[in-house]
Amino acid sequence: MTNKEKARERREKRMQEISLLRTIPYSDHNRWWSCENVAVVTGSNRGIGLEIARQLAGHGLTVVLTARNVDAGLEAVKSLRDQEQGLKIDFHQLDVTDTSSIREFGCWIKQTFGGLDILVNNAGVNYNLGSDNSVEFAETVISTNYLGTKNMIKAMIPLMRPSPHGARIVNVSSRLGRVNGRRNRLANVELRDQLSNPDLLTEELIDRTVSDFINQVKDGTWESGGWPQTFTDYSLSKLAVNAYTRLMAKELSRRGEEEKIYVNSFCPGWVKTAMTGYAGNMPPEDAADTGVWLSLVLPEEAVTGKFFAERREINF
């Protein structure tokens, strides 16, 4: 058996394990949430986001599905309600690249529910498929995937309700954004070290890194800048998300026990969705599992500032 065949066999075995995990119900004895708990899932009118919303609602939470397009969002809510009776799902328009839209959404959340308990930052874009590596839409990719996630976190933290169980922030990311991955990593060793060191990691450093990339895209020098080689703009946006996850976990860890917020990121894998041209090897039902698990893990099991794939911690 070749190494490629062995790797495929391992992937298939792990996918079977994930499917099995999804069939194991969360014990009512250990359930800390109820329909009074509110989960917000951004960009959830299709793909992984829609599936995360469906599974969280299926576990009995009230879920707020969001989308930029109102018609697409309302249609998604209707499809979920048609699939399963009794789901508590609401919809509100949200464009994470628009600060006024985020502000309006926050006001609606506060007025309607008084706050939220879980935030899943799923909204994201990628304009490359296969071996493509265009940076034509790099600003949109960075603005949506990184800045949209960051701005949502900043806006929602004041609205996250105090609880002995802790609130949860889950960021959908990618292995392509690992700082120290063996492949597709930054060429600048000093920058990698700074982004990897919790004592050196700052919001300014993350912002400056993505800003340097955008500036090089504009002046046409990005190809010699030592950036990730595969899906460069998307990979860098997710590297920034992972770094910001660790940064926020450190800042939020200073909170008291009744105000804990656990923040983690996860890679859903290569999923059969529009973002991959439906060429992925994992169905959305399995891809959503780790995000749902991180949203619902028990307080005594809860971790923060970590990166996961298939319910397993992996390196940033």
Side-chain angles (χ1 to χ4, degrees), residues 133 135 138 142 176-179 181 183-189 191-192 194-195 205-237 239-240:
N133 194 29
V135 294
I142 296 295
L176 288 173
R178 287 197 287 186
V179 174
R183 297 177 295 175
N184 206 47
R185 64 185 179 183
L186 296 169
N188 187 324
V189 177
L191 179 57
R192 288 207 312 264
Q194 290 174 335
L195 290 167
L205 173 63
I206 304 169
D207 287 351
R208 187 170 65 249
T209 300
V210 297
S211 179
D212 287 347
F213 168 67
I214 292 299
N215 288 336
Q216 289 185 20
V217 167
K218 290 178 178 179
D219 65 25
T221 62
W222 69 273
E223 288 182 288
S224 59
W227 306 107
Q229 300 80 43
T230 303
F231 295 175
T232 302
D233 53 6
Y234 178 81
S235 296
L236 188 64
S237 74
L239 183 152

Side-chain angles (χ1 to χ4, degrees), residues 39-64:
V40 170
V41 186
T42 67
S44 47
N45 59 293
R46 65 179 185 178
I48 299 169
L50 180 63
E51 185 57 31
I52 290 175
R54 186 190 70 79
Q55 291 188 26
L56 288 174
H59 285 303
L61 293 98
T62 293
V63 175
V64 178

Side-chain angles (χ1 to χ4, degrees), residues 10-73:
R10 287 195 298 270
R11 282 197 305 271
E12 290 175 351
K13 182 179 180 182
R14 185 56 187 157
M15 287 172 66
Q16 291 172 354
E17 291 174 353
I18 294 171
S19 295
L20 178 60
L21 285 170
R22 288 202 303 110
T23 66
I24 302 173
Y26 289 84
S27 169
D28 287 338
H29 175 69
N30 294 325
R31 184 175 297 221
W32 59 265
W33 66 90
S34 72
C35 63
E36 299 300 316
N37 293 103
V38 176
V40 170
V41 186
T42 67
S44 47
N45 59 293
R46 65 179 185 178
I48 299 169
L50 180 63
E51 185 57 31
I52 290 175
R54 186 190 70 79
Q55 291 188 26
L56 288 174
H59 285 303
L61 293 98
T62 293
V63 175
V64 178
L65 183 150
T66 77
R68 286 177 296 179
N69 183 282
V70 173
D71 290 339

